[in-house]
Amino acid sequence: MKFSVDLEKCQDHGQCVFAAPQFFALDANGKLNLRQEAETEYLSAELDESERDAVEEAADMCPVQAILIHD
Amino acid sequence: MTISDTERPAAQCPIKLPTEPEIYEMYEERRPEGPILWDDGRGVWAVSSFELCEEVESDETRFARSDRFDVNDPATYELIKQMQGGARSLQLIVGEPHFKLHGGMSLALTRQVRANSAATKKLADEYLARLEGQVEFCSSFGELFPTAIITSVIGLPWVHDEEKLRLARQYTTDIGYAATNLDYTGEVYHRGITASAALSAMLRPDIEAMMVRDDRNMVAEIFRMGRELYDDWGLEDVLTQCRLLYFAGSNSSAHFLANIVYVLATNPQAWQRLDADRSLIPTYLEEILRVVPPVQARPRVAVVDTEVGGQKIATGDVLYLYNAAANREPERFHNPAFLDLDRKPRRHLAFNAGARACPGAPTARMEGRAVVEALLDRFERIELDPTKPAPVFVSELNAGYQPIHLIMTPRAGGDERPHAGAAMTHGSTTTPGETLAAAAAAAGCPFHQKGTEQ
């Protein structure tokens, strides 16, 4: 399982930080940390199944539905 | 390569609303005049571009919710507190405490929604089972179903007590009208405050009992997270947030569901496509939210002298943010007035942008999905009843089509219709282990099945 974040859709609401702080954070400027990793779309490495609940919660919570799960 | 709409197979063509709401004609008439205009009649700034709506909604250092503007006037603030249930309503607090409580409540809601997915589908099917033949959808389904869902998500024990559900719905409607009314001394506001006290009284005994249970129910979660922010956080604070969930999740969701059903009843091709490929349902829901959002506009008040889109805005100026107009901005969306099941979803403003984005969005999406799936499972088709008054788009507290007189034709051979392969999805990908069949089975179900800014 991987997840991706559409960084053009993302509006840095930071809701994902509450669900999966192990992957998501806001930087000092209030921007999503993953913006430092990619320009338009971030794709995670392969994740352990134990992370699924947290990442799915982050995807569900995202107000703009910018997070996708890839199996 | 993009296929133009005229080249697509008919079954894949974008969906035009059979009756375009009049209010959208106003948006389109104004759009060429600029993204922010002074509306002399209402004495407000009308903001209609996506960029500016998002800018204002996202900047709480310059713009406040309108009911926060008078917090420095003790008498007015007291009234606002009474209406909201307390000064620490999620709608009234700001800054870091708001961010933490908003995120915490959003996560707790999301978890409840995920845990309640099967129960929601069962409830949707129970409500739909009452509808066969000729029915008016808004009164027979939309009136109580969203309130029942909120009751279920909070974990209150009266999901099936229709008298209580009806009362909760009435109270929240009265509160809703008052909350959008800036005349704090008028009858509408007074009725809202009375309803507010009545809703608190109705909820208080159960909330008090649930708050101290150690089973991580929604109420206990709100109590726990509030305690991390405020030492003296207690019953009245928790009650205030629970009331807010009713307020946020009743009227706006009812209109969202009405708009979903109206389009399905008037577009057999959309019905058939969703039935053939249920992975399109999330896109359908996002397009309904974008094209006919149940909340058309949000008010904000400037708390400093500032500038928006080149216009000078004075402290105290009111801005109406027409998210519904922004959602149809032609620069952002090709054929913006059409629902397009093949559109790659882009962000829209139906749930607002910024810190006050609706934390109930996952709940609304879950409800929408459960209702569409339950409709497709139970009915061969639904269509408007030509002998009854046609739906009109009413944009009042929330916006939606009503009444929706339907002729509902059940599937042949009873109301069961198994289908394989459909699954809950996150975006366009499938989540294993959550097939509808499994969800329905887990719920003991023989069938497959507003938003509010805070």
Side-chain angles (χ1 to χ4, degrees):
Chain A
M1 178 197 62
K2 298 178 183 177
F3 72 88
S4 65
V5 183
D6 182 335
L7 294 168
E8 291 179 334
K9 226 172 164 188
C10 169
Q11 214 222 354
D12 307 293
H13 283 98
Q15 299 288 286
C16 47
V17 178
F18 290 87
Q22 64 271 46
F23 300 115
F24 303 99
L26 294 181
D27 66 20
N29 298 317
K31 299 292 178 192
L32 189 70
N33 58 336
L34 303 177
R35 290 189 186 282
Q36 292 155 17
E37 312 285 327
E39 284 265 313
T40 56
E41 184 174 65
Y42 170 85
L43 182 63
S44 76
E46 189 69 29
L47 303 179
D48 191 85
E49 272 301 304
S50 62
E51 308 283 11
R52 179 179 290 280
D53 270 355
V55 176
E56 284 187 0
E57 282 169 5
D60 284 350
M61 275 175 83
C62 175
V64 295
Q65 302 283 280
I67 303 169
L68 290 181
I69 312 291
H70 303 268
D71 288 303
Chain B
M1 188 182 76
T2 307
I3 300 173
S4 79
D5 297 330
T6 51
E7 293 168 339
R8 292 198 218 181
Q12 290 187 17
C13 274
I15 302 159
K16 182 93 178 87
L17 297 172
T19 313
E20 182 73 307
E22 276 181 27
I23 193 165
Y24 282 92
E25 290 174 17
M26 181 195 82
Y27 299 152
E28 295 314 321
E29 275 171 24
R30 283 185 181 174
R31 197 185 298 280
E33 296 174 36
I36 173 165
L37 304 169
W38 176 251
D39 180 339
D40 217 18
R42 307 180 86 165
V44 301
W45 291 100
V47 182
S48 61
S49 79
F50 200 100
E51 187 182 355
L52 295 186
C53 284
E54 205 169 52
E55 176 187 327
V56 174
E57 287 160 15
S58 301
D59 189 348
E60 294 216 296
T61 63
R62 293 189 294 154
F63 307 98
R65 280 176 54 94
S66 52
D67 54 6
R68 276 203 57 81
F69 184 63
D70 289 314
V71 293
N72 295 326
D73 171 41
T76 303
Y77 191 42
E78 189 53 41
L79 285 172
I80 292 169
K81 279 198 301 183
Q82 285 177 29
M83 234 270 297
Q84 294 275 353
R88 290 194 294 217
S89 160
L90 186 61
Q91 289 193 316
L92 293 181
I93 59 177
V94 293
E96 190 66 12
H98 173 265
F99 178 70
K100 287 184 173 168
L101 188 62
H102 184 280
M105 281 184 64
S106 182
L107 177 58
L109 266 173
T110 300
R111 286 180 173 157
Q112 293 298 332
V113 162
R114 289 164 62 80
N116 273 287
S117 169
T120 300
K121 289 189 190 99
K122 185 168 183 287
L123 203 57
D125 196 63
E126 282 172 15
Y127 272 71
L128 286 180
R130 305 171 191 179
L131 312 182
E132 269 184 25
Q134 293 166 287
V135 295
E136 198 289 297
F137 179 82
C138 300
S139 56
S140 59
F141 188 96
E143 182 69 18
L144 291 188
F145 178 72
T147 308
I149 291 297
I150 296 296
T151 306
S152 165
V153 165
I154 296 176
L156 290 163
W158 35 273
V159 176
H160 296 284
D161 183 338
E162 295 202 0
E163 194 182 330
K164 275 194 159 183
L165 294 177
R166 217 170 285 284
L167 275 174
R169 177 68 198 272
Q170 183 57 52
Y171 295 148
T172 51
T173 300
D174 287 349
I175 294 169
Y177 278 115
T180 53
N181 190 302
L182 295 180
D183 175 9
Y184 299 128
T185 57
E187 170 60 24
V188 171
Y189 213 83
H190 179 71
R191 198 161 55 242
I193 288 176
T194 306
S196 171
L199 182 58
S200 288
M202 190 169 100
L203 298 177
R204 190 174 283 110
D206 287 319
I207 299 296
E208 187 167 20
M210 292 175 70
M211 200 173 86
V212 292
R213 278 188 354 219
D214 59 359
D215 58 0
R216 298 186 76 83
N217 67 79
M218 181 79 197
V219 176
E221 290 285 289
I222 295 173
F223 178 55
R224 185 189 53 74
M225 67 183 76
R227 269 295 165 97
E228 290 173 9
L229 295 169
Y230 303 100
D231 290 340
D232 58 346
W233 183 262
L235 172 61
E236 293 307 309
D237 296 303
V238 176
L239 186 55
T240 294
Q241 319 311 326
C242 292
R243 291 175 17 155
L244 192 53
L245 297 177
Y246 274 103
F247 167 56
S250 294
N251 224 314
S252 50
S253 290
H255 286 78
F256 175 39
L257 297 177
N259 297 342
I260 287 170
V261 167
Y262 171 70
V263 173
L264 285 179
T266 51
N267 286 275
Q269 287 171 348
W271 175 277
Q272 285 158 14
R273 249 195 114 189
L274 292 180
D275 193 29
D277 182 358
R278 298 201 180 183
S279 71
L280 292 172
I281 294 174
T283 303
Y284 175 70
L285 299 179
E286 295 307 309
E287 282 289 90
I288 288 283
L289 288 164
R290 183 184 68 77
V291 174
V292 274
V295 182
Q296 296 271 302
R298 308 278 191 186
R300 285 288 184 276
V301 180
V303 293
V304 292
D305 292 343
T306 185
E307 200 175 292
V308 173
Q311 299 282 4
K312 290 200 181 312
I313 309 293
T315 304
D317 278 3
V318 175
L319 298 88
Y320 270 53
L321 310 169
Y322 287 97
N323 287 340
N327 277 355
R328 291 192 182 192
E329 197 169 73
E331 292 80 12
R332 278 185 79 82
F333 300 99
H334 177 61
N335 275 347
F338 287 74
L339 288 96
D340 190 345
L341 298 180
D342 298 302
R343 197 188 293 279
K344 180 181 177 239
R346 297 186 71 180
R347 72 174 184 265
H348 57 70
L349 297 176
F351 293 116
N352 216 35
R356 309 256 162 206
C358 176
T363 313
R365 288 179 169 121
M366 169 190 73
E367 278 181 71
R369 178 149 192 158
V371 170
V372 173
E373 285 172 346
L375 276 168
L376 291 170
D377 285 343
R378 185 170 274 279
F379 297 100
E380 186 68 38
R381 63 182 178 276
I382 61 172
E383 56 210 316
L384 290 184
D385 184 343
T387 67
K388 296 283 172 50
V392 289
F393 192 78
V394 177
S395 180
E396 207 177 29
L397 177 57
N398 292 128
Y401 289 93
Q402 55 178 280
I404 304 179
H405 290 282
L406 297 174
I407 298 173
M408 309 183 80
T409 307
R411 296 216 178 255
D415 20 352
E416 278 192 64
R417 179 172 174 268
H419 71 271
M424 296 293 285
T425 62
H426 294 272
S428 62
T429 59
T430 303
T431 305
E434 280 193 13
T435 65
L436 287 168
C445 173
F447 311 111
H448 303 298
Q449 307 216 4
K450 123 126 157 204
T452 298
E453 54 179 355
Q454 291 163 2

